[in-house]
Amino acid sequence: MSDIVSDIQPVTALQPVTRTCPFDPPPEYRTFREEAPVAQVTFPDGATGWLVTRYADIRTVLGDPRFSSRRRVLRAGVTLAEDGSVPPPAPGWFILMDAPEHTRFRRLLSGQFTVRRMRELTPAVERIVAEHLDAMAAAEGPVDLVQAFALPIPSLVICELLGVPYEDREEFQRNSAMLLTIDASAEEVQQAQAAMNRYFHELVAAKRAEPGDDILGSLVHSGGLTDEELAGVGTLLLIAGHETTANMIALSTLCLLRNPDQLAALRADPSLTDGAVEELLRYLSVIQYGARRTALEDVELGGHLIPAGGLVVAALPSGNRDEDRFPECPDRLDVGRGTGPHLAFGHGTHQCLGQQLARVEMKAALSALFERFPALRLAVPLEEVPMRDDMIVYGVHELPVTW
């Protein structure tokens, strides 16, 4: 591998973070794809490493076991060991693990999130959606769509699946938001982590006394995990189960309102709904700073050498706008595109465990919302909608709407 270029780009470039349009990733990603698809950069948290921006290279990084998920979440709240190494992930946080540990957790959980089981949940999800639309109608607008609709739907569903009391939502939503805030202090992150850990330890203890037929109760009953692992799995699934989908529902609503031709096409032909959900996932890609991996050995990528120990960020929003993969105007929303495989849920063995649930929730929520409120519109100018630029999961903090 001695002929592979190792000095890709000087570490003077920065990972793009500033958007010029609320629905598009930073425009610099196009330049990276064209001129330096594997580029040495500095990331927003100060770490240096490699930014990968093309669809094909991103799939390679996410699918190659030589790139480890035992990452170094180099942001506030992570303390390095005395030897400078990153400590192992917290028990149960399987998204930060490699095989065989990652495989052990996935096997325990994969049966809980099958396509068939998620489709069986559809009537329950539709009931929850209808109840919240009734409440919106009674409020007579304007309402904040995030608090009235987009956030409670996935929160209720994941609470029911996990066996988490929904009345505790204010506490876990506050703590999960803190864990996803980019500029949170180390103290704030540690406090939120400790609070979530305490909460789930108490819940696990209750499940041991009376397991129930929910996911957490099933895991307790199986006896394959320690209390610490159960608390970690519960925290991870709860955060992932409501944050990403809630923001996809709200941001998709805003996006469709700002693309009335696409909304009209969807209304005229409801058979487009499944494809429209995939297109919105591709187009919006709310995991805005990508997926991190560490090279376990020297790896050739795109004609360049990523050295062992090198930090790599796979820029999912950039890959989902790659002209080589999506040649028909990838920067345009097209609900009839027939997207095909995108990267919104990642790729490889770490591909999102709950992706089928997210699809069910998005389809039910968006279809019913625009059917119930055909005159739905923003209650404020677009410029006044507060975007989640400060969060790991992109979206809107609030979405005032009326009808």
Side-chain angles (χ1 to χ4, degrees):
M1 298 178 65
S2 59
D3 58 334
I4 300 172
V5 176
S6 59
D7 54 338
I8 305 168
Q9 292 284 334
V11 189
T12 54
L14 301 175
Q15 180 182 7
V17 295
T18 304
R19 296 171 182 256
T20 56
C21 169
F23 310 118
D24 294 335
E28 293 89 348
Y29 276 127
R30 177 189 291 272
T31 302
F32 273 105
R33 288 196 302 272
E34 293 174 350
E35 300 179 6
V38 181
Q40 213 172 352
V41 300
T42 298
F43 299 110
D45 56 18
T48 58
W50 282 261
L51 181 68
V52 181
T53 50
R54 286 183 182 169
Y55 180 94
D57 292 334
I58 290 171
R59 278 177 62 95
T60 296
V61 169
L62 299 183
D64 190 330
R66 293 177 297 174
F67 290 101
S68 172
S69 292
R70 271 291 307 277
R71 55 190 189 178
R72 355 82 328 234
V73 185
L74 297 175
R75 60 185 291 265
V78 176
T79 303
L80 297 181
E82 291 183 3
D83 62 0
S85 64
V86 175
W93 282 73
F94 59 91
I95 63 169
L96 306 182
M97 299 175 184
D98 296 332
E101 278 296 283
H102 173 260
T103 308
R104 178 169 71 96
F105 285 96
R106 289 285 294 212
R107 284 175 178 166
L108 286 170
L109 290 165
S110 58
Q112 306 283 350
F113 292 95
T114 62
V115 174
R116 180 176 63 84
R117 185 165 186 182
M118 293 303 100
R119 285 176 178 166
E120 290 172 352
L121 278 174
T122 298
V125 174
E126 290 175 341
R127 171 182 55 79
I128 292 170
V129 168
E131 290 171 353
H132 284 80
L133 290 175
D134 289 344
M136 282 178 57
E140 298 183 350
V143 301
D144 173 13
L145 194 77
V146 173
Q147 294 299 322
F149 187 72
L151 181 57
I153 290 169
S155 294
L156 265 167
V157 173
I158 196 61
C159 281
E160 289 189 10
L161 283 174
L162 276 177
V164 173
Y166 183 62
E167 56 267 26
D168 296 338
R169 63 190 179 278
E170 288 189 10
E171 178 183 356
F172 70 68
Q173 287 173 356
R174 179 177 64 254
N175 288 318
S176 65
M178 183 59 65
L179 292 173
L180 296 175
T181 301
I182 293 168
D183 58 357
S185 69
E187 182 180 3
E188 289 171 327
V189 170
Q190 290 165 357
Q191 288 176 349
Q193 288 174 333
M196 292 289 275
N197 195 49
R198 285 193 303 271
Y199 177 82
F200 271 98
H201 270 279
E202 293 173 0
L203 192 57
V204 166
K207 297 291 181 184
R208 290 207 180 279
E210 189 175 349
D213 58 358
D214 48 69
I215 292 176
L216 202 55
S218 175
L219 292 174
V220 167
H221 183 70
S222 71
L225 299 176
T226 66
D227 284 7
E228 288 73 20
E229 290 172 330
L230 288 164
V233 168
T235 300
L236 179 59
L237 293 181
L238 185 62
I239 293 174
H242 78 273
E243 281 283 352
T244 50
T245 308
N247 282 287
M248 273 303 307
I249 291 171
L251 190 60
S252 295
T253 300
L254 178 59
C255 186
L256 287 169
L257 290 175
R258 299 298 295 182
N259 288 270
D261 59 326
Q262 298 302 301
L263 179 55
L266 189 55
R267 281 174 164 157
D269 184 0
S271 70
L272 294 175
T273 302
D274 286 347
V277 166
E278 299 304 314
E279 172 69 349
L280 287 162
L281 287 162
R282 177 200 73 85
Y283 186 71
L284 297 173
S285 301
V286 296
I287 307 300
Q288 63 174 335
Y289 297 117
R292 293 192 168 201
R293 299 290 187 267
T294 300
L296 295 175
E297 58 186 78
D298 291 355
V299 182
E300 179 185 357
L301 182 67
H304 300 291
L305 178 66
I306 306 295
L311 172 63
V312 178
V313 169
L316 306 181
S318 176
N320 279 336
R321 297 296 185 94
D322 188 342
E323 298 82 356
D324 289 339
R325 173 62 185 83
F326 306 101
E328 298 297 324
C329 301
D331 289 328
R332 184 186 72 219
L333 179 70
D334 180 0
V335 296
R337 181 184 299 274
T339 300
H342 53 71
L343 298 166
F345 294 117
H347 175 68
T349 59
H350 280 80
Q351 193 171 39
C352 177
L353 185 67
Q355 60 182 288
Q356 300 303 337
L357 176 59
R359 290 182 169 105
V360 167
E361 291 171 334
M362 285 183 64
K363 180 178 179 180
L366 294 173
S367 298
L369 174 65
F370 287 109
E371 180 179 354
R372 182 69 175 272
F373 299 110
L376 190 75
R377 63 189 184 277
L378 283 177
V380 298
L382 177 63
E383 300 75 34
E384 295 181 15
V385 175
M387 309 305 297
R388 286 170 53 110
D389 299 293
D390 58 335
M391 307 295 285
I392 293 172
V393 179
Y394 186 65
V396 293
H397 286 292
E398 299 174 5
L399 187 60
V401 296
T402 190
W403 48 89

